[in-house]
Amino acid sequence: MPQPTQKLFLLDAFALIYRAHFAFIKAPRITSSGMNTSAVFGFTNTLLEVLKKEAPTHIGVAFDTPKKTFRHVQFEAYKAQREAQPEDITIAVPYVKRLLEAMNIPILLVDGYEADDVIGTLARCASEEGFEVFMMTPDKDYGQLVQEHVYMYKPAFMGNKAEKMGVAEILDKWQIERVDQVIDMLGLMGDASDNIPGVPGVGEKTAQKLLAEYGNLENILAQAGEIKGKLGERIRENADQAIMSKQLATIDVNVPIPFSAQDLIHEEPDADKVNALFDELEFRTLRHRVLGDDPFSVPTPTSKPAAKGKPGQLDLFGAASNPDIAAFEGSTSNNQTEPTPVVYRTIATASHDYQAVDTPELMASLVNYLSQQDAFCFDTETTSLDALQAELVGIAFAYRAGEAFYVPVSPEREQAQAIVEIFRPVFENEKITKIGQNLKYDMLVLKSYHLEVRGPLADTMLAHYLLEPEQRHGMDRLAMNYLNYEPVAIEELIGKKGKNQGTMRDVPVGEVTEYAGEDADITLQLHQLLLPELKEKAATKLFEGVEMPLVRVLTAMECEGVRVDMDALAKMSQQLENDIKLLETDIFATAETEFNLNSPKQLGEVLFDKMNLVKNPKKTRTGQYATGEDILSALESEHEIARKILDYRELQKLKSTYVDALPLLINPNTGRIHTSYNQAVTATGRLSSTNPNLQNIPIRTVRGREIRKAFVPRSEEFQILSADYSQIELRIMAAFSGDPSMIEAFNLGRDIHATTASKVFHIPLEEVTSDMRRQAKSVNFGIIYGISAFGLARNLGISRGDAGDIIKAYFEEFPAVKAYMDRVIVEAREREYVETILGRRRYLADINSRNQTNRGFAERNAINAPIQGSAADMIKLAMINIQAFIEKEKLRSRMILQVHDELVFDAHRDELDFLKTNVEDLMQNALPMEVKMETGIGVGNDWLEAH
């Protein structure tokens, strides 16, 4: 066989079209005429990506045909369970074929056969003629076709890189010895996506074990009499079905289609056909990628051109008297009292106009005009991602779509401050709304120039977070999803200058003007699109009343930072180092050998080859022994070395992740640690933090809690004050369910866990033991997260039957809780989302899934999300109100940290009593409910002492 010299890509059209359609299901791409182009757009992107990165010499795209295949004849129910093809895909298919025609890529199809049969046949033929063949599909069935020079190619998707799978990768993925066993696996397991039945009750693990022992399906069936128990019965009873399933899963590589290398040669696209098609589909940036022309050469039909002045002259006043370009809702016009916002579907227009404003006169004109607006968008360009150490490079402004103005700022601090002062009046104007993407960053940057951004805020990142909490909210992604536009990446801009350590200062002003102007313009247009969606989904009040005011609070907290005791950390580090060495010596003595404790391979060999801790130890996909925390935790009760290794890992993590890392995070300008709070990360609405991640500082172990000792007040005039909600989620559950027993217990200040134990175990409150209370506590908190009998049994170390009895008794004693949980799930199935008391939504795509595991996970989220989200809303409101109180009273005390349900303050000693009283009141009454909220407040000379 000749050595492969040419590369052939064979694409499974429908698999890629469906994937593209569902990738954009929550944010479909709609043309100005109302057509959904998501599937065509996604398919085109995937095609262009592979052409660019893989540079195939030959290419073809295979389609299924409407005619029945031999599989339908053999098994009438083949693929019968599939839902009808979505209408948008039916519309998309002819466009995809037109695209391939325009790109001069051959379409491959044969009546009576599926695309995988066509691809399988051509792949075999091509490999025999010396081609390197890549079958491009996300469909796992193609694994059976892989051989030398024939690969599966799973395209990049949702942040995952493209994956090439040869024989070794297929064997590892399926955990089999030969590629042909993929068909045996499918014959045994079946394939739900194609309605192939397989053997009932046989899953992937069982199929792997059977094939490892018997080699193939035929041998398994021949020796089925040897297989004991229900598994053997199922195999014997379903032998014919298993054979049929294997036949249905087998890809036919003898399709009557000739292989012609000449016909599959990759050719240049037909520019006229591409232009015509992309005009119709409104694919402007894709046109640029295919043809390399000017992406701004074709005006979008849904936008109106922005007014322009003479070349090099700012037209700052054109919009004031022209109602056609009053693009932002609420902007004023001489001819309109209620201007209608113009919705721009893309900024890739001939009318975009980004100008540099680089003289005092022009800056004064811009300030004058901005001061007349109801709102404007701004974006800072800086030298660093760390807002507190970043220097301003420039500020971009936009107040109508298609236009932006960029103000470059001098690297000299005094001159930079002078430019900031010019714009102070508009930034501090209380009546003008300030729009931005991740406004907290920009506000922190300006704060370092002693400028406070005042007035209403509108952050597009947070608007999208409320609309789609589980998606990503970066500007580039939003621009692609909402505006069908791909912005310039900053790395590309800096990279043009070829500087390894470059910043925006290294880029010419002209290029920065385009980049920064684009950012401001895109953000303004995103705001115009997201604002109506917030209203439509009843999220406007949450956006304006919680998330936007919280931006100011977090800005103040991050700027404030917290002092850490370096000496205390140094002592902790030395003590941990000594303890780690002692533990290491102890482990070596127990194992009777020395080895690298940080090597999973060596550790596995010691534990399972040398010490033989278990008979059949679990292995990873790479073939080495699994030594993760779950494995060691299961062994620790019987083998002390497992406990010691877990202790060793905990001490190492404490030392490296916190004790040694915290000093490195101290800001050289302030001498304090400034953690960064993330508002748009968790789907529940909870805040998270980074550098350091305060939420993960361990508090369950003595050593973990010691880390809090290093967080200290700013000076001797201050103390640390900690205020922590008590059992907030349980109290919210009681309020939501309306259960009278729980509400009474909380409002009378009884121990809720002891109360629960008393009811569940049917004994007087005074007879509840500590063990009973522990079990009740596990149930109380587990119920919120939809705990099962299995989970409770594992947590408490009791039988599943006993755990089931406890859960049953709980629901009998607290029937309102069970009724609430059932009601939430029913409502979630109808609406496909749940919401908090303030209307924060959690969307549950799998709540009606046929997959029981996925559905069960969604149901647990349906119960928990309103509770956890309402807790998040409550502490956010408390933070907003407390910050307002501190500012109103002009206190020297400061709110400096938020962790879970706890707020931490640098409290001035003279203000302690006043602060404690008001913080407690504002936290307990942040979100009034039928159930009384409790807060524990402590004061100390460090965070641990206060908590």
Side-chain angles (χ1 to χ4, degrees):
M1 182 187 298
Q3 288 301 307
T5 57
Q6 300 182 93
K7 187 189 288 189
L8 168 64
F9 264 74
L10 296 169
L11 281 61
D12 184 343
F14 273 101
L16 298 173
I17 290 170
Y18 266 85
R19 189 189 73 143
H21 170 76
F22 286 106
F24 295 108
I25 198 72
K26 286 189 177 179
R29 299 173 188 280
I30 309 296
T31 67
S32 56
S33 63
M35 184 173 78
N36 185 338
T37 60
S38 300
V40 191
F41 181 87
F43 181 91
T44 307
N45 254 327
T46 300
L47 176 63
L48 297 181
E49 190 74 10
V50 81
L51 290 176
K52 177 183 175 183
K53 292 191 174 177
E54 299 297 334
T57 58
H58 295 69
I59 189 168
V61 179
F63 283 79
D64 298 334
T65 72
K67 298 214 173 161
K68 289 189 175 182
T69 68
F70 64 91
R71 296 180 181 89
H72 295 94
V73 174
Q74 185 175 357
F75 182 49
E76 192 174 341
Y78 179 65
K79 294 191 178 181
Q81 91 296 350
R82 289 194 177 180
E83 294 180 7
Q85 183 171 285
E87 183 182 354
D88 289 329
I89 288 182
T90 303
I91 293 169
V93 171
Y95 282 97
V96 171
K97 289 181 177 178
R98 279 180 59 191
L99 167 74
L100 296 172
E101 181 186 352
M103 297 289 290
N104 284 318
I105 294 173
I107 293 170
L108 311 168
L109 49 85
V110 180
D111 281 340
Y113 295 91
E114 296 182 56
D116 48 6
D117 300 317
V118 173
I119 288 174
T121 300
L122 294 177
R124 288 286 164 90
C125 295
S127 66
E128 290 170 4
E129 293 196 18
F131 280 82
E132 199 87 339
V133 185
F134 294 86
M135 304 173 295
M136 187 168 171
T137 179
D139 190 342
K140 65 182 184 297
D141 297 8
Y142 280 76
Q144 64 187 273
L145 299 171
V146 170
Q147 61 181 35
E148 187 180 10
H149 307 310
V150 177
Y151 309 88
M152 268 188 74
Y153 184 95
K154 295 179 71 174
F157 189 60
M158 303 297 281
N160 297 318
K161 292 182 179 179
E163 187 178 2
K164 297 175 186 176
M165 302 180 73
V167 172
E169 289 79 13
I170 293 296
L171 298 183
D172 181 59
K173 175 180 174 58
W174 290 86
Q175 292 290 292
I176 51 179
E177 296 177 358
R178 304 184 316 276
V179 166
D180 61 271
Q181 288 178 315
V182 170
I183 317 172
D184 296 298
M185 288 286 293
L186 294 169
L188 287 163
M189 296 162 45
D191 186 346
S193 65
D194 288 340
N195 209 31
I196 297 175
V199 177
V202 173
E204 185 174 351
K205 297 293 182 187
T206 304
Q208 287 166 351
K209 289 178 183 176
L210 289 169
L211 290 174
E213 186 170 354
Y214 297 103
N216 61 34
L217 177 62
E218 288 74 16
N219 287 344
I220 293 170
L221 297 178
Q223 300 177 61
E226 300 176 7
I227 301 172
K228 297 177 181 178
K230 289 186 177 179
L231 177 59
E233 287 178 24
R234 291 196 194 106
I235 292 171
R236 291 189 290 273
E237 289 171 2
N238 294 280
D240 291 342
Q241 185 167 289
I243 290 291
M244 179 192 67
S245 295
K246 180 175 178 177
Q247 291 169 349
L248 292 173
T250 301
I251 294 174
D252 189 343
V253 293
N254 296 299
V255 175
I257 183 171
F259 173 70
S260 169
Q262 183 65 32
D263 291 343
L264 296 170
I265 290 175
H266 176 220
E267 298 179 358
E268 289 300 309
D270 183 319
D272 291 340
K273 289 181 179 178
V274 170
N275 267 321
L277 178 63
F278 283 14
D279 271 350
E280 188 174 342
L281 296 173
E282 298 175 13
F283 287 175
R284 292 173 187 85
T285 54
L286 290 183
R287 179 207 311 278
H288 178 59
R289 288 176 64 186
V290 175
L291 303 178
D293 59 358
D294 180 359
F296 302 117
S297 62
V298 182
T300 176
T302 57
S303 66
K304 300 182 181 180
K308 291 189 179 182
K310 296 175 183 177
Q313 176 185 350
L314 279 172
D315 179 17
L316 296 177
F317 308 102
S321 60
N322 187 345
D324 288 339
I325 53 177
F328 183 78
E329 67 172 344
S331 61
T332 57
S333 159
N334 293 341
N335 300 331
Q336 290 180 303
T337 54
E338 295 183 354
T340 303
V342 177
V343 177
Y344 290 79
R345 290 305 302 171
T346 174
I347 70 166
T349 73
S351 62
H352 96 282
D353 188 9
Y354 307 149
Q355 299 183 45
V357 178
D358 52 6
T359 69
E361 293 77 18
L362 289 176
M363 291 180 198
S365 293
L366 179 56
V367 167
N368 181 52
Y369 194 73
L370 290 174
S371 66
Q372 299 176 43
Q373 307 305 308
D374 289 336
F376 63 80
C377 178
F378 80 97
D379 180 57
T380 60
E381 298 304 330
T382 67
T383 58
S384 171
L385 293 174
D386 184 339
L388 293 173
Q389 297 192 57
E391 294 180 358
L392 263 180
V393 175
I395 311 172
F397 296 91
Y399 52 82
R400 81 177 165 244
E403 285 189 358
F405 305 99
Y406 175 67
V407 181
V409 172
S410 169
E412 297 297 327
R413 185 76 185 198
E414 190 174 333
Q415 294 179 35
Q417 188 67 51
I419 292 175
V420 169
E421 294 304 320
I422 293 173
F423 289 89
R424 182 181 294 277
V426 289
F427 276 118
E428 293 187 346
N429 190 317
E430 298 274 6
K431 296 179 181 179
I432 302 174
T433 298
K434 316 302 187 301
I435 303 162
Q437 166 79 11
N438 190 14
L439 273 171
K440 177 161 64 71
Y441 174 88
D442 301 299
M443 291 167 66
L444 280 167
V445 170
L446 293 176
K447 206 171 175 72
S448 69
Y449 287 81
H450 316 292
L451 189 152
E452 294 280 346
V453 178
R454 304 191 185 281
L457 303 176
D459 191 323
T460 49
M461 178 181 76
L462 296 176
H464 187 256
Y465 169 63
L466 291 181
L467 295 169
E468 302 287 355
E470 297 192 60
Q471 288 190 12
R472 295 179 186 175
H473 317 290
M475 191 196 72
D476 289 1
R477 183 174 286 260
L478 296 184
M480 289 290 287
N481 287 351
Y482 284 86
L483 300 169
N484 196 17
Y485 182 76
E486 185 175 4
V488 173
I490 188 171
E491 295 81 6
E492 181 182 338
L493 193 67
I494 295 173
K496 285 180 182 177
K497 305 298 112 189
K499 297 179 181 293
N500 293 329
Q501 301 298 324
T503 71
M504 291 298 281
R505 287 211 194 282
D506 304 312
V507 184
V509 171
E511 292 185 35
V512 182
T513 298
E514 284 295 308
Y515 173 82
E518 180 184 74
D519 277 2
D521 186 13
I522 287 173
T523 302
L524 177 67
Q525 294 188 50
L526 287 171
H527 173 74
Q528 293 169 351
L529 293 175
L530 293 171
L531 213 60
E533 282 200 36
L534 287 172
K535 189 174 182 180
E536 181 187 335
K537 293 188 176 181
T540 304
K541 285 187 178 179
L542 189 60
F543 179 68
E544 294 177 350
V546 178
E547 297 299 345
M548 288 302 96
L550 188 66
V551 171
R552 294 192 186 284
V553 178
L554 297 179
T555 301
M557 289 171 64
E558 288 186 26
C559 195
E560 197 65 36
V562 61
R563 182 178 161 225
V564 293
D565 186 335
M566 295 285 286
D567 292 337
L569 288 171
K571 288 177 184 175
M572 280 185 219
S573 181
Q574 188 56 56
Q575 184 60 53
L576 284 169
E577 181 69 28
N578 296 337
D579 291 348
I580 287 168
K581 287 179 179 176
L582 287 172
L583 199 49
E584 189 177 52
T585 302
D586 194 9
I587 291 169
F588 291 160
T590 305
E592 298 181 349
T593 186
E594 290 191 11
F595 59 98
N596 182 355
L597 263 168
N598 298 315
S599 165
K601 183 175 185 296
Q602 292 186 33
L603 177 60
E605 289 168 352
V606 169
L607 295 181
F608 304 119
D609 285 340
K610 182 179 185 298
M611 300 183 71
N612 296 312
L613 295 192
V614 292
K615 253 187 178 182
N616 297 305
K618 185 178 179 182
K619 290 190 176 183
T620 66
R621 285 190 171 183
T622 59
Q624 67 184 38
Y625 294 115
T627 57
E629 185 177 348
D630 56 334
I631 302 293
L632 295 175
S633 297
L635 296 173
E636 66 173 316
S637 59
E638 297 179 26
H639 305 282
E640 75 172 323
I641 192 171
R643 174 69 266 159
K644 290 175 181 177
I645 293 166
L646 287 171
D647 290 343
Y648 171 86
R649 287 180 177 176
E650 183 198 354
L651 295 185
Q652 271 207 326
K653 182 178 179 181
L654 288 176
K655 186 175 185 300
S656 62
T657 307
Y658 298 104
V659 176
D660 291 347
L662 285 173
L664 304 177
L665 297 175
I666 293 176
N667 185 301
N669 299 324
T670 66
R672 298 163 73 82
I673 284 177
H674 302 263
T675 191
S676 180
Y677 290 98
N678 309 307
Q679 265 177 279
V681 171
T682 69
T684 59
R686 291 275 193 182
L687 291 173
S688 69
S689 64
T690 49
N691 297 324
N693 181 348
L694 298 173
Q695 321 290 342
N696 280 356
I697 292 180
I699 56 171
R700 293 185 179 180
T701 63
V702 174
R703 285 296 181 77
R705 287 193 291 272
E706 286 287 306
I707 293 171
R708 291 191 171 201
K709 286 184 73 172
F711 290 77
V712 294
R714 65 183 58 230
S715 70
E716 291 185 0
E717 294 181 44
F718 290 79
Q719 284 190 294
I720 295 292
L721 184 148
S722 166
D724 196 358
Y725 278 116
S726 171
Q727 300 167 334
I728 184 173
E729 292 183 2
L730 279 180
R731 292 172 188 270
I732 291 172
M733 166 65 97
F736 281 7
S737 67
D739 188 277
S741 298
M742 290 182 76
I743 293 172
E744 182 184 50
F746 279 126
N747 288 346
L748 294 179
R750 293 188 195 136
D751 182 330
I752 187 62
H753 303 312
T755 301
T756 300
S758 169
K759 288 185 167 295
V760 168
F761 296 112
H762 306 294
I763 58 171
L765 190 62
E766 59 272 14
E767 293 180 20
V768 171
T769 66
S770 60
D771 188 58
M772 288 175 178
R773 185 185 182 279
R774 178 181 65 86
Q775 293 187 23
K777 181 178 180 180
S778 189
V779 177
N780 273 334
F781 286 114
I783 289 297
I784 295 173
Y785 292 91
I787 199 167
S788 64
F790 174 78
L792 184 62
R794 185 178 55 192
N795 290 353
L796 296 176
I798 60 179
S799 72
R800 198 181 301 186
D802 288 345
D805 290 341
I806 291 174
I807 291 175
K808 182 181 178 184
Y810 180 94
F811 284 136
E812 287 174 352
E813 293 299 325
F814 299 102
V817 173
K818 184 68 168 69
Y820 164 74
M821 291 167 67
D822 292 341
R823 184 172 69 252
V824 166
I825 291 172
V826 169
E827 289 175 357
R829 284 182 184 145
E830 292 174 357
R831 302 190 297 182
E832 296 194 336
Y833 67 84
V834 289
E835 56 187 11
T836 68
I837 196 168
L838 293 184
R840 183 185 304 277
R841 292 184 182 180
R842 178 78 181 271
Y843 292 93
L844 304 165
D846 291 328
I847 193 69
N848 292 308
S849 172
R850 294 177 182 176
N851 182 302
Q852 187 174 347
T853 302
N854 294 345
R855 188 175 66 251
F857 182 74
E859 288 174 353
R860 289 191 291 276
N861 272 337
I863 294 165
N864 174 249
I867 296 168
Q868 198 174 145
S870 293
D873 291 344
M874 185 178 293
I875 197 163
K876 284 179 176 180
L877 283 173
M879 292 169 73
I880 293 164
N881 295 338
I882 290 169
Q883 183 66 22
F885 153 72
I886 289 172
E887 291 175 4
K888 180 185 175 186
E889 299 295 333
K890 296 182 172 56
L891 300 185
R892 286 168 288 183
S893 301
R894 293 290 183 268
M895 184 161 51
I896 55 173
L897 299 174
Q898 188 271 357
V899 185
H900 300 301
D901 303 318
E902 178 184 9
L903 297 177
V904 182
F905 301 81
D906 242 338
H908 195 277
R909 291 176 184 271
D910 293 345
E911 299 168 352
L912 266 175
D913 291 338
F914 186 49
L915 186 66
K916 282 168 66 176
T917 301
N918 282 276
V919 165
E920 183 173 45
D921 178 63
L922 291 169
M923 286 180 73
Q924 290 181 1
N925 296 295
L927 201 55
M929 292 185 178
E930 188 180 353
V931 176
K932 181 182 178 184
M933 293 295 151
E934 288 289 342
T935 3
I937 295 188
V939 176
N941 293 316
D942 58 61
W943 187 11
L944 178 62
E945 187 180 330
H947 186 77

